[in-house]
Amino acid sequence: EKNEKLREELGRTEVLVLDEADRLFEESMLPNMQRIVKALPSLTQILLATATIDDNFKEEATAVAGGEADFCEAFDVYGEEDGEPTES
């Protein structure tokens, strides 16, 4: 019954954006994330933003996404090297 209500509430979702996603995929939060994603319509796009992407995060995110996931690691837009800003 709870899952049906969740599916109903999320049924029109087209895009789901989650920040600090690495925290949401920690062991304690993973079951909740799986329930939420499972309740989304199959064509929902999911954007996960995180400052850290490790192999475990990639595995969990790919599994939750149904086996299909693309990862894009951002680069330092300020041109910092060794912790010091560089001049442009």
Side-chain angles (χ1 to χ4, degrees), residues 6 17 20 48 70 85:
L6 184 62
V17 179
E20 299 294 336
L48 305 173
D70 293 319

Side-chain angles (χ1 to χ4, degrees), residues 29-46:
M29 293 294 294
L30 189 57
N32 291 328
M33 284 303 306
Q34 291 168 329
R35 279 187 44 229
I36 291 168
V37 171
K38 190 174 182 177
L40 294 170
S42 62
L43 296 178
T44 301
Q45 292 182 343
I46 303 170

Side-chain angles (χ1 to χ4, degrees), residues 18 20-31 33-34 37 46 48 56-57 59-65:
L18 301 169
E20 299 294 336
D22 56 323
R23 298 228 181 233
L24 298 174
F25 281 81
E26 290 176 352
E27 195 170 321
S28 62
M29 293 294 294
L30 189 57
M33 284 303 306
Q34 291 168 329
V37 171
I46 303 170
L48 305 173
N56 185 53
F57 175 79
E59 282 182 33
E60 296 295 348
T62 301
V64 167

Side-chain angles (χ1 to χ4, degrees), residues 69-86:
D70 293 319
F71 296 91
C72 175
E73 295 188 40
F75 56 91
D76 183 0
V77 296
Y78 296 106
E80 292 182 12
E81 295 177 11
D82 300 325
E84 295 295 321
T86 57

